[in-house]
Amino acid sequence: MALLLPVLLALLVCLTSALYYLGAFRRRRPGEPPLDKGPLPWLGHVLDFRRDTAKFLQKMQKKHGDIFTVQLGGHYFTFLMDPLSFGSVVKEARSKLDFTEFAKQLVEKVFGYHSMEEDHKLLQLSSNKHLMGDGLVLMTQAMTANLQKLMLHGLGLADGPGAWTQDGLFRFSYNIVFRAGYLLDKGHEWDRLESDELFVEFRKYDQLFPRLAYGVLPPRQKMEAERLKRLFWKVLSVEKVQKKENASGWVTDQRQEREDRGMEQSMLDRCKEFTHIGHSGHRKGAL
C-alpha cells in the first residue's frame, strides 16, 4: 500500500497536467470575448466546424455576438465576424497583438513554406518597389491587359455573336481575377487554358483552406490538400517560371533575394506558391 500511494499521486499529477494542457480549466477572463469550449474535451467544436464551417460560425455569432472564442482540436481561436472592425484590430501595437508567429505557423501549415527571419523585410522592400510609384503603374497596366484578354477572349470568333457562356457572378469574377493575377507573360492561348485548369484546382484547395488552416481536416481531405500543394509547387516552380518571357518583377525580386540568402530550391518553389496562390485568392478574416 505504501508503494501504491506515490504511484497514484503521480497518476493524479499527470492527469491534472493533461487536463490543464487540454484546456479543461480555461475560463473566460475579464475583458475577453465569450468563450465556448464545446461539448467534447480537447476536440471542442471541431466536428461541427468540419461539417459546415459557415453554418457553425453563423450559429456562434447568433449565440455570442460578433466576437467569440471557440476550442477546436485543443486550440482556442477567436473569431471577429464584423468586417468593419478589422481595421481597428490589425492597427493595434505589437505589444498587444502580434501576428508574426501565427503567420509563420499558418504559412507553414497551408503552403509547406518555412519562412526566413527576414521574410517580412524582403516582402516589404519588394512591395515598396513594385507596388508603389512607377512599379505600381507597370503592374496595373499588366493586370489591366490580362483582364481585357481574358474577358474579351472569344468575342466575334467562329462561335458567332449568339454563343453565350453562363456562369454565376461570384465564380466569374473570382475566375477572372485569379487568372489575370496568375498570367505572368503575354497571354498566349496555352496560358489561358492552363490558368483555367489551375483555377479549378485552386477552388478545391480554397474550399479546404479554412479547415486546413485550423488543422481540423479529416484524413481523406488532408491527403487531397497535400496533392493540391504538390501540384502548385510543380506548376509554379522556379524552373518553369524562369522560362517565361515577361515574369513579374515583384515575384522574381523576392525569389532572387531569398536565393541569395541560401534558401533551398524546394522552399523557393513553395515561396512562389505562397506569393502567387496566397495573393491571388481571397480570405475571409478570422483571428
Side-chain angles (χ1 to χ4, degrees):
M1 190 69 180
L3 294 176
L4 185 60
L5 182 60
V7 174
L8 292 175
L9 289 174
L11 290 174
L12 180 61
V13 170
C14 291
L15 179 60
T16 304
S17 300
L19 289 173
Y20 179 82
Y21 174 76
L22 296 177
F25 303 120
R26 176 163 175 168
R27 296 290 182 270
R28 179 185 179 186
R29 291 173 292 189
E32 289 186 342
L35 173 64
D36 197 323
K37 296 193 290 184
L40 301 174
W42 191 78
L43 288 175
H45 288 287
V46 71
L47 298 181
D48 283 344
F49 189 84
R50 277 182 180 177
R51 190 175 300 114
D52 191 328
T53 302
K55 185 177 180 180
F56 167 76
L57 292 177
Q58 290 170 356
K59 181 177 71 174
M60 289 293 105
Q61 183 180 23
K62 185 176 181 180
K63 180 179 179 181
H64 298 297
D66 289 333
I67 305 177
F68 51 86
T69 301
V70 297
Q71 182 178 211
L72 300 171
H75 300 281
Y76 289 90
F77 296 95
T78 298
F79 291 86
L80 182 61
M81 302 296 290
D82 179 11
L84 298 179
S85 301
F86 291 173
S88 59
V89 172
V90 298
K91 290 179 181 178
E92 283 286 354
R94 283 194 173 186
S95 58
K96 295 182 179 180
L97 188 63
D98 189 354
F99 290 100
T100 304
E101 190 59 35
F102 174 76
K104 288 181 180 179
Q105 295 175 10
L106 180 64
V107 170
E108 181 176 348
K109 184 181 297 182
V110 300
F111 296 111
Y113 172 66
H114 303 285
S115 59
M116 303 173 63
E117 291 185 5
E118 297 178 304
D119 262 357
H120 180 72
K121 180 181 178 181
L122 295 177
L123 179 60
Q124 188 175 32
L125 290 174
S126 179
S127 298
N128 289 342
K129 178 180 178 182
H130 294 283
L131 303 183
M132 297 176 65
D134 294 339
L136 180 59
V137 172
L138 293 173
M139 184 165 286
T140 302
Q141 290 173 344
M143 185 68 172
T144 302
N146 282 339
L147 287 170
Q148 291 176 338
K149 291 174 182 177
L150 289 169
M151 296 180 72
L152 302 179
H153 176 64
L155 293 182
L157 296 182
D159 293 335
W164 287 85
T165 300
Q166 295 185 5
D167 205 348
L169 178 60
F170 172 76
R171 190 184 184 284
F172 171 77
S173 303
Y174 196 175
N175 179 300
I176 292 296
V177 172
F178 173 87
R179 293 170 64 195
Y182 167 73
L183 292 174
L184 298 177
D185 63 353
K186 298 180 180 180
H188 298 301
E189 178 65 22
W190 69 270
D191 290 310
R192 293 192 185 93
L193 296 175
E194 183 185 73
S195 66
D196 194 32
E197 292 171 358
L198 186 63
F199 173 74
V200 172
E201 297 301 301
F202 173 72
R203 281 292 289 143
K204 297 176 185 177
Y205 185 75
D206 189 45
Q207 291 168 346
L208 296 174
F209 189 96
R211 285 164 289 172
L212 176 62
Y214 294 113
V216 296
L217 278 180
R220 181 175 297 180
Q221 292 183 345
K222 190 173 183 180
M223 291 175 61
E224 174 66 359
E226 292 300 319
R227 180 192 72 81
L228 291 168
K229 281 194 287 188
R230 289 193 295 270
L231 170 66
F232 298 143
W233 295 340
K234 180 180 178 180
V235 171
L236 299 170
S237 68
V238 173
E239 181 181 359
K240 289 197 67 173
V241 175
Q242 282 178 336
K243 296 178 181 179
K244 294 187 177 292
E245 301 173 6
N246 194 25
S248 167
W250 183 54
V251 174
T252 55
D253 279 3
Q254 292 186 61
R255 176 195 59 76
Q256 190 61 52
E257 289 288 348
R258 288 171 172 81
E259 187 174 2
D260 292 344
R261 284 166 171 76
M263 179 172 282
E264 296 179 0
Q265 182 75 34
S266 60
M267 285 298 113
L268 288 173
D269 293 341
R270 298 179 190 191
C271 179
K272 293 189 69 59
E273 178 204 2
F274 164 61
T275 303
H276 281 287
I277 301 296
H279 290 82
S280 296
H282 68 286
R283 302 256 55 85
K284 295 181 180 179
L287 302 179

